[in-house]
Amino acid sequence: MTYPKTRLRRLRATPALRALSRETSLSAADLVQPLFVCHGENVRRPVASMPGQAQLSVDEATREAEALAKAGVGGVILFGLPATKDPEGREAYDENGIIPKALRALKRATPDLLLWADVCLCEYTDHGHCGILNGDRVDNDRTLPLLARAAVAYAAAGADMIAPSDMMDGRVGVIRRALDDAGQAETPIVAYSAKYASAFYGPFREAAESAPKFGNRRGYQMDPANSDEALREVALDLEEGADMVMVKPALPYLDVIRRVKDRFGVPVAAYNVSGEFAMIHAAARNGWLDGERAALETLTSIRRAGADVILTYFAKEIAPVLGRERE
Ligand SMILES: [Zn+2]
């Protein structure tokens, strides 16, 4: 049926009709807010390139988590800033390191808020790479047991979800076995399965102080040109026991999110990364676009592409907006 019988504008006429025929929903419960946790007390160190985001001591992170829980966000994901860095990233898997400390405090303060723990070594190594080195290469197989130790320490401290982001081969299986052996068979793994070597991580590296001191991460993170390979990564992680898979970043990889969702039909998370957040804020600050609308449209596009869950720095500012009527 064509015009004039069919008029697609009929269902666009009023806010109520638009709300009724809207295909994609976006709610605070879909959003996970990243938090950068550091040692000390009363510390709230703003991240210049990420307006509204800060490095937080555990007490401040607790306050932040309480506000986020109140706003109805789906969870928080924690990144740690250690007291000291060394070649093996020891604080990453120290039971009394910054992340286990934060997890214990947040679990007490906000028992119903889902706590995700990112698992990687790059914030903790003095060279800034995601694993331990053999010469100037990251040694995959020697890194795996350290990631597993970190995962077990975080689960024991109260993490509800374990999210390995290192991109080592075989890490999901090794972490799954370690969690099972430690009596944490019920703790889900969210695998950063398709994590690309991206320019959009710039502001995060300032926030997490995790920029590599030499070289880059292209030897383990994915080539932005590839998407068949993303499906292979996802397939392997699922085989190894991942409960949810992730695509990171989100916006430049919406096609990958869609392919993963269509092919596997499993829960998919997407990480709307620091650079995606910073771009919108920078343009909004210049008056070049409406930041709130651009953020809503971005998050909706990620959901529309097939993501069930979005990790995003916008969670804190957008969650309250989502309760409001939308035009
Ligand atoms: Zn890393």
Side-chain angles (χ1 to χ4, degrees):
M1 272 204 296
T2 55
Y3 172 85
K5 272 194 169 165
T6 299
R7 291 175 181 269
L8 291 179
R9 286 185 56 189
R10 284 185 197 120
L11 291 180
R12 297 177 197 149
T14 66
L17 280 167
R18 289 195 291 275
L20 194 71
S21 47
R22 188 161 292 135
E23 298 173 30
T24 306
S25 67
L26 180 66
S27 75
D30 306 325
L31 308 179
V32 174
Q33 169 76 42
L35 295 179
F36 302 103
V37 192
C38 61
H39 289 281
E41 255 175 79
N42 296 314
V43 182
R44 182 172 276 271
R45 219 175 288 129
V47 181
S49 52
M50 299 171 73
Q53 313 293 312
Q55 297 177 349
L56 306 167
S57 51
V58 173
D59 53 333
E60 289 289 331
T62 304
R63 272 191 273 286
E64 194 85 356
E66 284 166 347
L68 289 161
K70 220 177 198 175
V73 305
V76 294
I77 181 163
L78 303 185
F79 297 92
L81 291 119
T84 54
K85 302 191 185 217
D86 55 65
E88 282 89 36
R90 289 178 203 283
E91 196 177 320
Y93 37 92
D94 179 344
E95 291 161 15
N96 295 309
I98 185 65
I99 290 296
K101 232 192 228 174
L103 285 165
R104 284 190 286 267
L106 265 60
K107 191 40 95 188
R108 265 195 308 275
T110 52
D112 297 327
L113 183 68
L114 275 182
L115 305 180
W116 297 38
D118 178 89
V119 173
C120 198
L121 300 187
C122 53
E123 296 115 85
Y124 305 91
T125 51
D126 53 8
H127 45 73
H129 279 285
C130 298
I132 50 176
L133 298 180
N134 185 359
D136 58 3
R137 268 180 69 82
V138 172
D139 190 324
N140 192 91
D141 296 5
R142 280 176 56 226
T143 298
L144 297 180
L146 304 182
L147 297 169
R149 273 175 68 183
V152 168
Y154 301 166
D160 299 299
M161 316 277 273
I162 294 297
S165 64
D166 51 282
M167 288 300 280
M168 297 301 117
D169 288 324
R171 90 275 206 212
V172 172
V174 168
I175 289 173
R176 183 69 273 161
R177 271 194 300 282
L179 287 172
D180 291 356
D181 291 346
Q184 300 285 354
E186 300 293 327
T187 305
I189 295 176
V190 185
Y192 286 71
S193 300
K195 180 177 179 182
Y196 287 88
S198 172
F200 290 89
Y201 303 148
F204 175 94
R205 290 177 186 175
E206 181 203 338
E209 298 173 7
S210 64
K213 295 290 177 297
F214 68 89
N216 55 56
R217 298 194 174 128
R218 293 192 193 121
Y220 39 105
Q221 296 179 349
M222 279 185 55
D223 185 332
N226 296 355
S227 82
D228 288 343
E229 188 189 359
L231 301 184
R232 295 184 69 195
E233 283 282 7
V234 168
L236 287 170
D237 284 353
L238 290 171
E239 234 166 81
E240 290 175 31
D243 300 277
M244 186 183 284
V245 295
M246 196 193 300
V247 176
K248 179 182 181 181
L251 264 194
Y253 302 92
L254 291 178
D255 58 319
V256 177
I257 297 172
R258 171 48 60 193
R259 286 192 75 188
V260 168
K261 192 64 177 177
D262 284 347
R263 169 77 70 94
F264 299 99
V266 298
V268 176
Y271 201 136
N272 175 228
V273 303
S274 57
E276 300 172 53
F277 174 83
M279 292 196 294
I280 290 180
H281 267 285
R285 279 193 167 186
N286 278 298
W288 294 339
L289 47 71
D290 177 333
E292 186 178 295
R293 282 189 56 203
L296 281 169
E297 188 174 331
T298 296
L299 297 173
T300 302
S301 77
I302 298 166
R303 289 267 298 136
R304 195 191 62 235
D308 302 286
V309 179
I310 307 172
L311 288 76
T312 178
Y313 303 94
F314 284 118
K316 180 179 156 184
E317 62 197 84
I318 287 299
V321 177
L322 294 172
R324 278 199 326 247
E325 280 288 288
R326 286 172 70 195
E327 291 264 299

